[in-house]
Amino acid sequence: MVGVGPEGLDSAVARVTICNWAEKVILDTFVQVDVEVTDYRTFVSGIEAKDLVSDNAMPLEDVRKMVKDILSGKILIGHALENDMTALQITHPWHDIRDSANYPPFMKEGETSPVVLRPRKLKELVREKLGGDIQDLGRAHDPVEDARSALRLYKSVRMEWEKLVMKQVASARGQEGRESEPSGRDSPYSGFRPRSTTTGGVGQKNTNYNNPYSMYSRSHSAPPTMMAPNQGYGHHAYYPQQHFLY
């Protein structure tokens, strides 16, 4: 991200990196920013003005299309994905998102109440859960390293995480439309809808999206989840053979 607007407080996407289940990078590009950049945040982003005007920088709309095509039908894994998706102005089904910033076992208790959980930094999680070090002081963040780290965090607790998501999906199905569905053993389930959420992207405020998060996918290189077909998420897009992209 780079800073735009007064004092660079708003964010615009300036680089997009995606890797697959095998941690192979399948997309890594700078993104042209169509408004004035007021803070390149080089000490963190590693991005300089020359990067956004080079031949390696793509128009935002082209990048958005590529990302949406890659993520279609995939499980998205990452850290603090709400920020990325808001900047890209892209949505993704909430039940196909695995955000390590919002996974309860990875979160910390709030300062005022232990009931309220707060996200932890990716660097802290990698050190504690994986015994590794990323984002070294004085070195710009490496988006490839960050993506792979979020993926490894997910892999380390994959089965527990999937069980939690299945419970959330079952709860959502019970709350949304079950009363209006036909009863009976042979009644098909028509699917469930994530709740509408108001969010906004760069240069666009109060845009109505179905979900504030998004950003990874499923690839045929991902191993099976060891779940029977009838233990899936309850909709046609989910199968025991998952696909991922980070």
Side-chain angles (χ1 to χ4, degrees):
M1 302 284 187
V2 293
V4 298
E7 302 181 12
L9 299 179
D10 293 327
S11 296
V13 61
R15 183 177 176 180
V16 173
T17 303
I18 299 177
C19 67
N20 62 15
W21 179 262
E23 301 185 8
K24 179 181 179 181
V25 176
I26 61 174
L27 176 64
D28 188 12
T29 181
F30 290 110
V31 182
Q32 299 171 7
V33 180
D34 56 6
V35 296
E36 181 184 4
V37 177
T38 51
D39 185 357
Y40 285 92
R41 305 173 183 173
T42 305
F43 71 99
V44 173
S45 69
I47 296 172
E48 301 179 2
K50 63 181 181 180
D51 296 323
L52 305 186
V53 296
S54 69
D55 293 337
N56 294 325
M58 297 177 58
L60 177 59
E61 285 304 312
D62 292 348
V63 175
R64 290 181 69 245
K65 184 179 185 305
M66 290 182 65
V67 172
K68 287 193 291 185
D69 288 344
I70 291 172
L71 298 185
S72 178
K74 307 295 193 303
I75 285 181
L76 174 61
I77 303 173
H79 190 80
L81 294 171
E82 179 178 3
N83 301 326
D84 300 322
M85 294 297 94
T86 297
L88 278 169
Q89 300 176 24
I90 291 176
T91 63
H92 200 65
W94 66 266
H95 49 84
D96 278 345
I97 294 171
R98 308 293 183 269
D99 191 333
S100 54
N102 296 327
Y103 179 52
F106 285 170
M107 302 175 77
K108 61 183 178 181
E109 295 181 354
E111 297 179 359
T112 58
S113 172
V115 178
V116 178
L117 297 178
R118 300 179 61 85
R120 298 175 62 187
K121 295 180 179 179
L122 180 62
K123 179 181 179 69
E124 295 177 1
L125 290 173
V126 169
R127 180 184 296 118
E128 178 181 312
K129 305 297 183 181
L130 304 178
D133 283 307
I134 62 172
Q135 302 174 355
D136 297 329
L137 186 64
R139 180 172 65 90
H141 294 188
D142 182 346
V144 176
E145 180 181 65
D146 290 352
R148 288 170 174 167
S149 296
L151 171 57
R152 291 167 187 169
L153 284 169
Y154 169 77
K155 287 180 177 180
S156 71
V157 294
R158 183 183 180 194
M159 294 308 299
E160 294 84 353
W161 200 329
E162 291 306 310
K163 290 177 182 178
L164 175 62
V165 173
M166 289 174 66
K167 290 180 180 179
Q168 293 172 333
V169 169
S171 177
R173 291 179 61 183
Q175 294 176 8
E176 300 187 19
R178 185 175 289 271
E179 293 181 359
S180 62
E181 293 172 10
S183 60
R185 178 178 176 179
D186 298 325
S187 299
Y189 178 62
S190 60
F192 60 90
R193 300 171 300 281
R195 296 181 178 178
S196 179
T197 304
T198 300
T199 184
V202 177
Q204 184 173 3
K205 302 297 182 181
N206 297 324
T207 303
N208 206 0
Y209 293 112
N210 285 335
N211 176 47
Y213 308 103
S214 1
M215 187 135 190
Y216 281 83
S217 58
R218 307 175 180 179
S219 83
H220 291 293
S221 60
T225 62
M226 305 304 293
M227 298 178 185
N230 62 353
Q231 292 178 308
Y233 286 179
H235 65 94
H236 69 278
Y238 183 82
Y239 299 92
Q241 179 69 35
Q242 292 182 329
H243 306 263
F244 298 82
L245 207 150
Y246 316 83

